[in-house]
Amino acid sequence: MPDTNAHGDAVAQAQPGPGAASGTPPQPAVSVEARTDERRFRAYTFAVLSLGLAAAFAVGSWLPFHWDDRLLWVGPVLAVAFLLAEQLGINVDVRSGISWTISFTEIPLVIGFFIAPFEVVLAAHLIAGIGTLLARKVAGRVLYNAGAFLLEITGAFAVAGLVKYAVGAGAGDRIPWVAALAGTLTAPLVSTLLALAAVRVLRRRMRVSTAVRLTGRILVVGFVNASVGLSGYLVIASTPKAWPLVLAVFLGLTALYWAYSDLLREQRDMEALSDVSLMVARSGQQAAARPASRADELVGGVDVREWATIAERIKDQLAAGRVVLRLRLEPKDTMRVVVAGDDLPAADPGADDPLLRLPGAHVRHFRITEANPDVRAALLDRGAQEALVVPLRSANRLLGVVEAHDRLSRWRGFGKYDVQLLGTMASHLATALDNRRLLATLRHDAYHDPQTGHLNRPGFQQVAKEPLRDFANAVVLRIDLDVFSTVSDALGYAWADRMVVAAGRRIRDALGPDVPLARLEGASFAALLVGCPPEDAHRAAERLREELSAPYPVDRLSVEANAMIGYATTSAEEPGDVVDIEGLLQRADVAVRAAKGGEEVRGYVPSMGQIFLRRFQMVTQFRQSLEDGQVSVHYQPKITLPNRQVQGVEALVRWVHPEFGRLGPDEFVPAIEAAGLIGVLTSFVLGEALKRCRKWLDEGLRISVAVNLSVRNLADEDFPNKVARELERVGIPPELLTFELTESGVMSDPQKALPILRELHSLGITLAVDDFGTGYSSLAYLRQLPVDQVKIDKSFVLGMGTDLGDLAVVRSIVELGHSLGLTVVAEGVEEDVARDQLEAMGCDVAQGYLISRPLPEDRLEAWLQARTARSPGRHSETVLTLLT
């Protein structure tokens, strides 16, 4: 980094953003704005150089020049003194783009007032200053600095001459010390003013407080140095043997400066570490908020432009000509290169580059004059004379390499502090990169399905938000494969997962790589089509269904599959809706449920939403409806054949909804069951039926009650104990309770259902198979069930009078039931002919509208009184016989 010397090399530093003044002027960049700045600075350089030459000519004409032979050695000695003062400068502060260096050029300058004329001091200063610039390879700034050097020395001698005459000294008198001190302080002041003017010319921003603080520091250091030089010269001039004392003071001042610079160096190193850590942390937070569509702009979860800012900060802190970050976050990735400072030669280093194969994680310091041939060749390829190189490593992999090339602000190159700082920064960077990589992995896993590699539901919702904002027409497809559960049951979940992976690959091939695709759960997928008109949505869904319905070759098997697709478009919104991805997904889910009812591809229409909203309201309001008495139990009588005695009743649930009116069981029971509330419903019906049975027992009537069971009831291992406790609490004999269950419900999971049924049967409860003939309907299955009754499905009973096949089925079921010792119940009896036919076949019990519709409790009591005759039965109980 260019320096601002205390005696007056202060100029603006090239920075792309807000900068402050220091060192030599900025080198222009390649942008249009930079080229404009270059032209402005060239004009400024010409003005400074012209003004410097004019001022030197004017001051040289004003001040007398007397030749003396001793000038032959005084001039070279002054030049060497200026050169040493430049090279022994101490870097005191680099902060926020500002650099200034304590140099000792005030000492030879103040002495020059006493031992040499203006022209000699000017020539010595020009030779030392320009020689230093050329040695530091900043030849492009020579003209500006030459003009600055001219103005510094001419200004110093002009002020010194004015002060000399002001204090009354004559032209031939020795210059007073106060004039020499004033002139010496003029040089750094002129240099600083030129630098601040350069900042304005280059349109860089600098706060007034920063400029004042910088000027104050330069003047204070200049005053101290000038005072030491002046005092030393005056002491030695009067007492030549006192030079050891003067030397001791100079060395003490140097030590003080070094100690101060070390403290400030530690402070700004800590600031630099903090800045870099904050940059990585802040950029990581910003990267986490970026959509996945911009992932290609990231390196390790951080924007490439932000890495450039980090590299620039490291370059500024090390005062390096160039900093190169080579980053590789994945083992198979190529290294991405970020450069701050001078351009890097176009040739990329090969895999065998020695600077990229360094072991360990500590900093290496290479100089081209001391390196082995391989390292020397690598440095030459980079156009560097000196380099600090440190690998960035995680626990088990190389994440990258940091290289710093050619320190600019210190003539002796990188030092131990630079090595320590870069090592600490590299350690922070490696840790931050590894953490960022782990966070990126966690973020990827959080938004992707591990089985297929596609997005999951949260990832799909995240990715789809931006396209929905940018495109007017969008379609969400919801794809369900109906073979997943079948394959998992037949072959196991491993084979089902393979089929899902194959299906996901087929969807990706059909839709293309850029379409957001997610696996939601099981064999359900979702995709987002942007820019798809509503009229094309159905055709796209049909084509995709055809692709998915082709047989799946999974290993050596060929699995037949069928796909159902529901879709929702942004044009199908309802009035007042704000369409978002969650709403579209929900509507597509409604559409795919509708597709399962027959059509295999369905688009969402607002009426579908009303159906599912109705179901949602029923589920959420069910418990409150139980408490409010809106749900009740109706009873349908059953009579024995042929004596027509009332054998029992079947308890059937009814719901009078305040908004929807009367709801049949076929409408709300499936929704209640799917929501997991069937246990609550069964407990309610069972409790009401047993209380009704208890009342009949108290009246001397022995009427059994039948309650329907769900397959979910049979999955509850504690269900038999609950029933036993309820029978004991109400005081009902177990044989008066019948549980009716469907054959298909039992056989859907017989390993869980059969033990529960056996336990219920052991309690003495009657078990009946409902809707017999429509389920598995095989003798083998029937023999496994511990049942006492079979109920002939009403579809066969209703068709007996017109269909001989139905008549034969009913007769076969009656004969089969009796052969197994079971009671046969016929439901759906609505005509006398059907009752007479069943009686002739030997059917045991009849149930249907011919006997009675399902009745509420009060109407059932009236029906029993009006349509039955009471007669004594066994065990002192009354028997009800239907009146004909």
Side-chain angles (χ1 to χ4, degrees):
M1 180 181 295
D3 303 322
T4 295
N5 298 325
H7 73 283
D9 284 350
V11 288
Q13 179 191 359
Q15 295 266 353
S22 72
T24 52
Q27 297 183 10
V30 296
S31 65
V32 174
E33 182 179 354
R35 287 195 295 270
T36 302
D37 290 346
E38 181 182 4
R39 288 193 296 269
R40 290 165 60 91
F41 185 74
R42 285 177 180 174
Y44 179 67
T45 298
F46 178 77
V48 170
L49 183 59
S50 300
L51 183 61
L53 291 172
F57 178 78
V59 172
S61 302
W62 174 45
L63 295 176
F65 176 77
H66 302 287
W67 173 256
D68 192 338
D69 291 341
R70 66 185 183 88
L71 294 180
L72 294 175
W73 63 267
V74 168
V77 169
L78 274 177
V80 171
F82 278 119
L83 185 62
L84 289 176
E86 290 279 0
Q87 302 302 335
L88 294 177
I90 301 171
N91 193 5
V92 172
D93 192 19
V94 179
R95 183 180 303 148
S96 301
I98 297 178
S99 173
W100 69 289
T101 299
I102 297 176
S103 71
F104 301 99
T105 52
E106 291 85 6
I107 295 176
L109 177 59
V110 74
I111 295 175
F113 280 108
F114 296 99
I115 65 174
F118 163 71
E119 291 81 1
V120 174
V121 175
L122 178 61
H125 189 57
L126 282 172
I127 292 171
I130 295 175
T132 300
L133 291 174
L134 294 176
R136 294 179 180 176
K137 298 181 179 181
V138 288
R141 310 167 191 172
V142 169
L143 291 180
Y144 169 82
N145 282 280
F149 294 153
L150 288 170
L151 289 175
E152 290 171 17
I153 301 303
T154 54
F157 272 84
V159 170
L162 291 174
V163 173
K164 176 182 177 181
Y165 291 121
V167 297
D173 295 339
R174 182 189 179 103
I175 187 171
W177 67 268
V178 66
L181 181 61
T184 302
L185 290 178
T186 302
L189 181 60
V190 169
S191 177
T192 303
L193 294 176
L194 290 174
L196 297 178
V199 170
R200 298 292 298 177
V201 168
L202 293 171
R203 295 179 294 186
R204 302 293 191 264
R205 289 173 291 177
M206 177 183 288
R207 295 180 180 177
V208 175
S209 59
T210 302
V212 172
R213 186 166 59 251
L214 177 63
T215 304
R217 287 179 176 177
I218 290 174
L219 289 177
V220 169
V221 172
F223 177 79
V224 173
N225 289 341
S227 299
V228 170
L230 179 61
S231 301
Y233 173 77
L234 294 177
V235 168
I236 293 176
S238 61
T239 310
K241 293 184 179 180
W243 67 265
L245 179 61
V246 174
L247 180 61
V249 172
F250 175 76
L251 294 177
L253 179 64
T254 303
L256 181 62
Y257 283 156
W258 275 109
Y260 181 54
S261 69
D262 286 345
L263 289 175
L264 292 181
R265 176 66 185 249
E266 292 179 4
Q267 175 187 344
R268 67 180 184 274
D269 285 353
M270 292 297 295
E271 291 177 355
L273 287 173
S274 176
D275 287 348
V276 170
S277 298
L278 286 175
M279 286 178 186
V280 174
R282 190 179 300 114
S283 60
Q285 294 171 358
Q286 294 171 354
R290 286 190 184 90
S293 58
R294 291 187 55 197
D296 57 338
E297 300 177 10
L298 307 180
V299 176
V302 182
D303 196 308
V304 173
R305 292 168 295 183
E306 292 159 358
W307 280 118
T309 304
I310 293 170
E312 187 71 32
R313 184 67 179 91
I314 297 174
K315 179 186 78 70
D316 289 347
Q317 187 61 25
L318 294 176
R322 180 197 305 126
V323 165
V324 182
L325 300 182
R326 305 180 190 272
L327 305 173
R328 179 174 60 205
L329 277 301
E330 294 299 332
K332 297 181 180 180
D333 290 348
T334 58
M335 282 194 175
R336 301 186 67 171
V337 180
V338 179
V339 180
D342 299 338
D343 292 338
L344 193 66
D348 292 331
D352 58 346
D353 188 284
L355 301 188
L356 303 183
R357 295 186 293 106
L358 298 174
H362 57 281
V363 183
R364 272 74 160 197
H365 188 186
F366 298 108
R367 293 186 177 90
I368 199 167
T369 57
E370 303 171 2
N372 61 51
D374 292 339
V375 173
R376 186 181 302 113
L379 291 176
L380 289 174
D381 290 341
R382 290 162 169 79
Q385 300 294 313
E386 179 187 23
L388 297 180
V389 183
V390 55
L392 303 176
R393 295 186 183 276
S394 66
N396 56 0
R397 69 178 59 177
L398 178 67
L399 302 176
V401 177
V402 179
E403 301 177 16
H405 301 160
D406 296 336
R407 182 174 176 119
L408 296 179
S409 63
R410 296 285 295 277
W411 66 274
R412 55 184 174 271
F414 296 112
K416 66 175 183 178
Y417 292 112
D418 301 307
V419 173
Q420 293 174 358
L421 175 62
L422 186 60
T424 307
M425 281 186 171
S427 177
H428 282 230
L429 279 177
T431 301
L433 283 172
D434 201 31
N435 289 341
R436 192 73 62 238
R437 180 181 62 83
L438 293 175
L439 287 174
T441 301
L442 291 175
R443 186 169 182 263
H444 179 274
D445 293 345
Y447 288 120
H448 289 79
D449 172 55
Q451 193 71 38
T452 62
H454 301 309
L455 296 167
N456 57 15
R457 185 183 292 270
F460 185 72
Q461 293 172 340
Q462 182 76 14
V463 170
K465 287 180 180 178
E466 186 173 353
L468 280 180
R469 290 194 303 264
D470 298 339
F471 291 89
N473 293 320
V475 179
V476 170
L477 302 177
R478 178 75 155 74
I479 306 114
D480 276 10
L481 301 179
D482 64 352
V483 76
F484 180 76
S485 59
T486 305
V487 173
S488 62
D489 291 341
L491 303 175
Y493 284 103
W495 287 87
D497 289 340
R498 293 176 190 174
M499 204 204 83
V500 168
V501 171
R505 191 180 303 116
R506 191 175 291 185
I507 297 172
R508 170 58 70 205
D509 293 341
L511 298 179
D514 298 328
V515 173
L517 173 63
R519 181 195 182 191
L520 303 180
E521 64 271 331
S524 297
F525 295 87
L528 175 67
L529 306 180
V530 295
C532 180
E535 57 271 16
D536 295 340
H538 193 84
R539 288 194 295 270
E542 284 282 6
R543 288 194 300 268
L544 181 58
R545 192 201 66 79
E546 291 176 4
E547 292 282 342
L548 292 175
S549 297
Y552 287 82
V554 182
D555 288 348
R556 291 171 293 175
L557 297 179
S558 180
V559 180
E560 297 289 338
N562 187 33
M564 286 149 292
I565 299 180
Y567 63 90
T569 66
T570 52
S571 61
E573 66 266 22
E574 299 171 13
D577 275 0
V578 177
V579 177
D580 56 11
I581 187 59
E582 290 84 358
L584 287 175
L585 267 176
Q586 182 179 4
R587 293 174 181 179
D589 183 66
V590 170
V592 83
R593 289 174 184 269
K596 294 179 180 179
E599 300 180 40
E600 294 174 326
V601 174
R602 291 290 299 272
Y604 173 83
V605 291
S607 59
M608 292 180 181
Q610 297 301 321
I611 295 173
F612 284 92
L613 177 61
R614 179 182 174 110
R615 292 182 183 178
F616 177 77
Q617 290 178 314
M618 287 190 298
V619 169
T620 55
Q621 297 170 4
F622 176 69
R623 287 184 182 271
Q624 187 63 40
S625 296
L626 284 178
E627 297 178 4
D628 295 343
Q630 298 170 9
V631 181
S632 60
V633 177
H634 287 203
Y635 302 91
Q636 186 174 29
K638 296 184 288 185
I639 64 170
T640 59
L641 297 176
N643 54 18
R644 308 198 183 168
Q645 294 178 350
V646 177
Q647 182 261 351
V649 294
E650 180 179 358
L652 300 170
V653 65
R654 295 292 184 268
W655 186 357
V656 181
H657 194 277
E659 180 180 353
F660 305 137
R662 292 183 178 275
L663 301 175
D666 292 341
E667 182 176 3
F668 68 84
V669 170
I672 297 299
E673 185 174 14
L677 297 174
I678 197 64
V680 177
L681 178 60
T682 302
S683 297
F684 170 77
V685 175
L686 178 62
E688 292 296 310
L690 292 182
K691 285 192 293 182
R692 179 68 264 174
C693 188
R694 179 69 260 174
K695 291 179 181 179
W696 284 326
L697 283 177
D698 293 341
E699 295 172 2
L701 298 176
R702 188 176 180 85
I703 301 176
S704 67
V705 290
V707 176
N708 290 282
L709 289 187
S710 165
V711 64
R712 293 182 179 249
N713 297 129
L714 301 181
D716 182 4
E717 296 181 355
D718 194 45
F719 182 71
N721 295 328
K722 295 177 182 178
V723 174
R725 289 193 294 270
E726 189 68 15
L727 289 172
E728 183 178 358
R729 183 183 68 83
V730 182
I732 299 296
E735 61 271 15
L736 290 183
L737 174 61
T738 299
F739 281 138
E740 296 184 2
L741 50 133
T742 61
E743 198 176 358
S744 57
V746 175
M747 299 315 298
S748 64
D749 192 356
Q751 292 183 348
K752 286 187 176 180
L754 289 176
I756 302 297
L757 293 176
R758 293 189 181 103
E759 192 169 350
L760 291 172
H761 195 262
S762 66
L763 293 175
I765 297 171
T766 302
L767 298 180
V769 177
D770 199 7
D771 300 335
F772 189 80
T774 61
Y776 288 91
S777 301
S778 73
L779 181 60
Y781 285 132
L782 190 58
R783 290 179 61 191
Q784 293 184 43
L785 301 179
V787 297
D788 306 286
Q789 296 179 3
V790 290
K791 296 186 70 175
I792 306 172
D793 186 70
K794 62 183 179 181
S795 62
F796 300 113
V797 176
L798 292 173
M800 285 192 311
T802 57
D803 191 329
L804 295 178
D806 287 343
L807 182 64
V809 169
V810 173
R811 181 179 288 108
S812 298
I813 295 174
V814 172
E815 294 175 356
L816 175 62
H818 288 164
S819 66
L820 295 174
L822 304 177
T823 300
V824 179
V825 180
E827 56 182 352
V829 180
E830 297 184 359
E831 298 177 351
D832 292 331
V833 175
R835 180 194 60 195
D836 296 340
Q837 288 177 325
L838 291 169
E839 186 176 342
M841 294 177 191
C843 183
D844 302 300
V845 179
Q847 175 184 352
Y849 284 0
L850 178 64
I851 297 137
S852 174
R853 293 176 177 271
L855 302 172
E857 187 172 330
D858 55 346
R859 291 183 59 189
L860 176 64
E861 287 297 322
W863 183 90
L864 292 174
Q865 293 178 6
R867 290 176 175 80
T868 60
R870 296 173 179 258
S871 59
R874 292 178 299 173
H875 310 295
S876 301
E877 293 174 345
T878 301
V879 176
L880 298 178
T881 303
L882 186 65
L883 298 174
T884 58

